[in-house]
Amino acid sequence: MVEVKRGQERASRRVAAAAYRGRMTTPAAAALPYAEFDGRPATEDDLRRALFFNYGHFTAMQVREGRVRGLDLHLARLDAANRELFRLPLDGDLVRRLVRHALENAGRADASVRVHGYLPPGSATTTVMVTVREPGGMPSGPKALKSVPFARTAAHLKRPGEFGQIYYADLARRAGFDDALLTLPDGSVGTIANIGFWDGTTVTWPQAPALSGVTMGVLERELPDAGLESSRRTVTLDGLGAFRSAFLTNALGMAPVSRIDDTAFAVDAELMERLAAAYEGAPDEAV
């Protein structure tokens, strides 16, 4: 009887352990992107170099039917960053060929594409990595932002491995917000996901060290034709009350902002429609 009881206890422990593992199982990971290095499918060595030597830059774009809005801004960003980091140009026509090649091999005309530039140790030429995955979009709904004190080094460069940004975004979500809003020591706003403020007449973009986003750049070019004025000036946390509404832009699209810390903003559906119409009306270009 003792052995039977012990066997039952062991079985119970196994069942309990299995149930615990079931509760702790993480959701299935998203499919990994297709990747090419300099126009050929990525090898294990390629991926190791990118993992362990990730000093570089990138741009992220949404491709629809093989076309991209603001493609000239993406290519200019890649060339400028490559010149600054590696003192080497990055030819736009080469980038386009590599993106077309990766899209074709991945079997996608609609996709989320990233183009990375690296200079591996001992190399005299830039290695270009192109990744392709399913198309994306900005999650729907207004965003609540928590301001955090974090000034990115070389904020104008889009680059991988941004620990501080991810760290503060996670803290913001734990506190019940959707994301973090990066601010400088003087309280001015400077962020990697560009934010615009609306006072009823003008769209204001914060003038501070920040990444100049492509979606924002496209909007700046198109807003005058949409009858919307825009300007750049310093925006501080204690001056947020001067604005009626706010919105975010990034590589995935646009979304209204409902609040920053305790400052609430009106979710202006008409404004968002006008911004979307201005963006959608911008010309796209074949990769």
Side-chain angles (χ1 to χ4, degrees):
M1 293 295 293
V2 173
E3 288 301 321
V4 171
K5 185 176 181 179
R6 288 176 177 170
Q8 291 173 338
E9 289 174 347
R10 287 195 293 270
S12 296
R13 287 196 294 270
R14 286 196 296 271
V15 170
Y20 177 78
R21 287 195 297 272
R23 291 195 301 270
M24 295 300 291
T25 299
T26 56
L32 293 175
Y34 173 75
E36 291 190 352
F37 282 72
D38 295 330
R40 52 177 176 72
T43 66
E44 289 186 9
D45 284 344
D46 290 328
L47 296 174
R48 286 195 191 98
R49 278 192 289 271
L51 175 64
F52 293 113
F53 187 80
N54 67 349
Y55 179 72
H57 61 94
F58 75 97
T59 195
M61 64 186 77
Q62 290 297 313
V63 181
R64 298 295 182 270
E65 297 182 355
R67 305 179 71 85
V68 178
R69 284 187 178 83
L71 181 60
D72 61 320
L73 299 177
H74 286 289
L75 298 179
R77 166 189 281 172
L78 289 169
D79 183 59
N82 215 68
R83 291 174 185 272
E84 180 173 345
L85 294 180
F86 310 136
R87 296 180 176 84
L88 293 170
L90 186 52
D91 181 66
D93 289 337
L94 169 64
V95 171
R96 295 172 78 161
R97 288 198 301 271
L98 293 176
V99 171
R100 288 197 301 268
H101 189 270
L103 286 168
E104 181 179 354
N105 284 349
R108 288 188 177 275
D110 297 343
S112 299
V113 170
R114 288 192 175 196
V115 181
H116 296 250
Y118 299 105
L119 189 66
S123 176
T125 58
T126 305
T127 291
V128 178
M129 177 177 74
V130 179
T131 66
V132 179
R133 67 190 324 156
E134 67 278 0
M138 180 82 85
S140 61
K143 308 303 177 190
L145 306 179
K146 177 177 175 56
S147 65
V148 297
F150 180 68
R152 299 169 67 241
T153 302
H156 61 290
L157 294 174
K158 192 174 182 73
R159 70 288 183 127
E162 193 63 70
F163 174 85
Q165 177 193 348
I166 298 171
Y167 172 78
Y168 281 114
D170 185 56
L171 288 185
R173 293 184 186 109
R174 292 185 200 178
F177 294 83
D178 295 298
D179 209 341
L181 180 71
L182 310 186
T183 62
L184 304 181
D186 63 0
S188 58
V189 175
T191 180
I192 190 168
N194 299 129
I195 188 168
F197 295 94
W198 173 247
D199 62 6
T201 60
T202 303
V203 172
T204 297
W205 307 100
Q207 182 69 50
L211 179 69
S212 184
V214 169
T215 300
M216 182 186 76
V218 170
L219 279 175
E220 280 191 300
R221 292 195 298 207
E222 299 299 321
L223 288 181
D225 288 341
L228 292 169
E229 297 182 13
S230 70
S231 66
R232 295 198 185 202
R233 64 182 176 86
T234 300
V235 176
T236 59
L237 291 175
D238 59 9
L240 293 179
F243 301 102
R244 285 175 25 185
S245 302
F247 60 94
L248 289 174
T249 72
N250 63 22
L252 295 175
M254 291 175 282
V257 173
S258 59
R259 67 183 173 109
I260 297 175
D261 300 331
D262 294 327
T263 300
F265 296 98
V267 176
D268 191 329
E270 181 183 355
L271 172 65
M272 297 308 299
E273 289 174 3
R274 294 177 71 183
L275 293 172
Y279 182 77
E280 294 295 330
D284 55 14
E285 190 175 354
V287 173

